[in-house]
Amino acid sequence: MAINTSLGRCAASFLLCLPAAALAQVQAGPGTWSGNQTWGADSVNGGNLSGYFYWPASQPVLGGKRALVMVLHGCQQTASGDVIDSGADKGFNWKGVADQYGAVILAPNATGNVSGSHCWDYSLTNHNRASGHDGVLLNLVSRFVSDARYAIDPNQVYVTGLSSGGGQTMVLGCLAPDVFAGIGINAGPPPGTTIMQIGSVPSGFNASTAANKCTALAGAQQSKFATQIASVIWGTSDYTVAPAYGPIDAGAMRIAYGGSFSRGATVAVPGGGSNTPYTDSNGKLRTSEIAVTGMGHAWPAGPGGQNNHFVDATKVNYPAFVMDFWFKNNLRASSIAAPVMTACKASVSGNAATISGAAVDAAGTISSYRVVLNGTTAVNDAAAGSGASFSIGYALANGYYTGTVTATDAGTGKTSAPCHLPQFLVGPAPALLPPADLKAGSASASSIALSWSAANGAGGYNVYRNGSKVTPAPVSATSYTDTALTASTTYSYQASSVANGVESGLSASVSASTTSGFTCSTVTASNFAHVQAGRAHDSGGYALANGSNQNMGLDNLFYIQTLAQISAGHYVVGNCP
């Protein structure tokens, strides 16, 4: 039975819960740029796709899953020299927004030596998803999306780039609109132009010309244009790639997206830019056009970024702008945030427990709080309160209890992550003791086995995962296998004893992790063959195993090594563990 009380009233004892926002939902990364990686061979342009990635320690802000952003350098640039952070500057200035949004950033190097300047091959006439720069880049995205460690949401995959990287961005957005929810084109020549036409728009070439090329690239995936968005940016003093290509790029994408569009008012962007938005017939913002006054041919990095070699740190912070544009307007992942529990607690007085809590709701007002209590008296109250905070009392039988509190916004239909109530006791402590020696045994990608020692007088046992009971009824055995779990995830377990309707307190906790689900395999071959197959990479004439960077000896046909692939893209010398 619920007993309503005021939030200001409290009992002699209480337990506080950490805010749900502070509880890790996905695996935290190291918060630093990786070392140089080798991701795969390019049979068209030659060499292996190499580069860097940034895996933030922060949590994602949209839907509990990370966004993935691929950033493509321009001609004469490299990922290490211009895109990623160095000791002297922040390069293209992506680390800060990656931390802010909890996004993974990819910074690959163009394979081969296209145009003698390490350009991307945007100007090809035979683009396809299986070869050349298109193939290796789409394969790179697929690797990260399919690797459970990074928790990438396939509906939050984006690509952006400068110059040939901007042209390649537009090609990828057209070729694979099913993969990229948003694109960011910086001074990018559109499909259908050659490298000799970057300085001026060819006679008769317009947005419709580029749009026809774009939709032809999409082929059977044209329907995916309906949920893609595009940002285009250029410098008004760009004498390398004609500024006139900027509006053509944006116009071409609108034609590919289909339907009618309304031009919004042009507004100033901090750093000297002016932005013109276009919305579709549903009122959704689909394209953005930014002209940066006085900027030459450069990536607009904003303050703190590199300020040389085609990077401008004195004007618009484009990483901040385009991430905000993508996240607010993504048509494939809801941009409306769920409520966030900021606190919850249990206060006990006699046989009454007062549960209280508070939450914030960026989308409006909390419509309802749900209180779930596990213990002698089960509670599942979906109408415990509403508004910014609540407090409610429950008459409970003697025993130990745990539980959760969640907040829901009925308007958006979104519910917060649970705020966990630590174990609390109503009445005197029962004589029944919890089971001892709780242990985690074998684990798979979706299950963890548990065992414990029998407790005197116990007729059964309950198992708790992360503070919530997972056994629908007490189990009589002294073991239990928890199933339907997420791969590469750590869980905390406790157990209780049950006898004649009375439940003991919880045992000491034990942590255990599910596996990645990856099956280790080995390949024995020459170091040269390993490098050519993308299992290793060359460094100064030596072969280094991808992932572990273990030195395998000289990169030639005469050194034979066995490599074990222990996770996606990660190899070690020797056999599987």
Side-chain angles (χ1 to χ4, degrees):
M1 179 179 71
I3 308 170
N4 287 312
T5 61
S6 68
L7 184 61
R9 297 171 63 182
C10 61
S13 63
F14 63 91
L15 294 168
L16 288 175
C17 171
L18 287 173
L23 303 176
Q25 301 298 309
V26 301
Q27 185 174 342
T32 58
W33 284 100
S34 72
N36 190 32
Q37 307 289 301
T38 300
W39 287 307
D42 183 346
S43 60
V44 174
N45 296 299
N48 292 312
L49 183 70
S50 65
Y52 305 80
F53 69 95
Y54 184 78
W55 183 6
S58 58
Q59 288 296 303
V61 301
L62 187 57
K65 301 283 279 186
R66 296 194 185 281
L68 179 69
V69 180
M70 184 161 64
V71 181
L72 305 179
H73 63 75
C75 297
Q76 301 182 38
Q77 291 182 320
T78 63
S80 61
D82 302 290
V83 178
I84 72 172
D85 291 44
S86 68
D89 58 62
K90 297 178 181 178
F92 272 23
N93 206 13
W94 276 101
K95 183 178 180 297
V97 290
D99 289 336
Q100 179 183 348
Y101 291 91
V104 172
I105 310 296
L106 302 179
N109 287 300
T111 55
N113 190 17
V114 174
S115 301
S117 299
H118 297 286
C119 302
W120 297 98
D121 60 9
Y122 75 92
S123 61
L124 293 181
T125 57
N126 59 339
H127 288 283
N128 65 85
R129 297 170 68 131
S131 65
H133 287 163
D134 306 324
V136 293
L137 291 175
L138 288 172
N139 177 263
L140 173 60
V141 169
S142 177
R143 288 189 185 199
F144 274 79
V145 171
S146 61
D147 192 325
R149 291 176 298 174
Y150 304 116
I152 303 298
D153 180 358
N155 290 319
Q156 297 184 60
V157 177
Y158 310 103
V159 60
T160 186
L162 164 68
S163 193
S164 70
Q168 184 65 27
T169 290
M170 191 166 178
V171 166
L172 289 172
C174 294
L175 184 67
D178 55 314
V179 174
F180 298 103
I183 61 178
I185 306 166
N186 179 193
T193 58
T194 70
I195 58 173
M196 302 302 294
Q197 296 172 328
I198 62 174
S200 61
V201 179
S203 177
F205 191 97
N206 53 36
S208 294
T209 313
N212 290 337
K213 297 289 185 181
C214 182
T215 53
L217 287 173
Q221 298 296 333
Q222 288 186 35
S223 63
K224 301 300 182 181
F225 282 134
T227 55
Q228 190 185 74
I229 57 177
S231 167
V232 183
I233 189 169
W234 65 91
T236 61
S237 298
D238 188 340
Y239 302 112
T240 301
V241 174
Y245 278 127
I248 288 176
D249 292 345
M253 298 314 301
R254 287 194 294 274
I255 294 171
Y257 295 163
S260 60
F261 290 85
S262 299
R263 174 175 174 160
T266 298
V267 297
V269 177
S274 60
N275 173 40
T276 305
Y278 285 78
T279 55
D280 62 18
S281 58
N282 295 315
K284 301 295 186 181
L285 182 58
R286 301 298 300 279
T287 69
S288 161
E289 301 178 18
I290 301 178
V292 184
T293 305
M295 187 176 76
H297 189 63
W299 173 271
Q306 180 174 298
N307 198 34
N308 59 69
H309 206 228
F310 308 110
V311 184
D312 191 331
T314 68
K315 296 182 174 63
V316 174
N317 184 337
Y318 189 55
F321 177 91
V322 76
M323 287 289 271
D324 181 73
F325 171 78
W326 286 333
F327 272 74
K328 284 183 177 177
N329 302 291
N330 186 311
L331 296 174
R332 301 178 187 179
S334 175
S335 60
I336 303 174
V340 175
M341 291 293 305
T342 56
C344 63
K345 68 179 181 181
S347 302
V348 180
S349 178
N351 280 92
T354 299
I355 309 300
S356 57
V360 293
D361 185 10
T365 304
I366 303 299
S367 303
S368 61
Y369 290 91
R370 178 186 291 271
V371 173
V372 175
L373 297 180
N374 303 299
T376 310
T377 303
V379 173
N380 188 346
D381 184 1
S386 61
S389 60
F390 82 101
S391 181
I392 188 169
Y394 298 97
L396 303 175
N398 292 347
Y400 287 98
Y401 292 83
T402 60
T404 59
V405 180
T406 54
T408 298
D409 182 323
T412 64
K414 295 199 170 185
T415 298
S416 71
C419 181
H420 293 276
L421 294 165
Q423 179 176 268
F424 61 92
L425 174 63
V426 174
L432 187 64
L433 295 176
D437 201 26
L438 177 64
K439 294 179 180 178
S442 60
S444 70
S446 60
S447 66
I448 295 174
L450 303 160
S451 64
W452 53 86
S453 298
N456 290 333
Y461 305 92
N462 282 323
V463 175
Y464 289 75
R465 180 207 312 137
N466 295 340
S468 297
K469 186 167 65 175
V470 295
T471 45
V475 296
S476 57
T478 56
S479 62
Y480 179 78
T481 299
D482 194 18
T483 59
L485 304 178
T486 302
S488 302
T489 303
T490 300
Y491 296 94
S492 176
Y493 290 97
Q494 293 171 285
S496 67
S497 304
V498 179
N500 300 319
V502 176
E503 185 173 16
S504 73
L506 297 180
S507 68
S509 63
V510 62
S511 294
S513 301
T514 50
T515 65
S516 66
F518 186 89
T519 302
C520 182
S521 61
T522 60
V523 177
T524 301
S526 69
N527 284 353
F528 177 80
H530 283 308
V531 170
Q532 294 304 304
R535 295 183 289 269
H537 60 278
D538 186 285
S539 178
Y542 289 89
L544 303 182
N546 286 346
S548 69
N549 284 324
Q550 290 177 303
N551 195 319
M552 302 157 55
L554 293 174
D555 179 9
N556 60 35
L557 293 168
F558 305 102
Y559 278 72
I560 308 297
Q561 286 282 11
T562 297
L563 288 184
Q565 185 178 8
I566 60 174
S567 64
H570 193 101
Y571 297 83
V572 296
V573 176
N575 294 308
C576 290

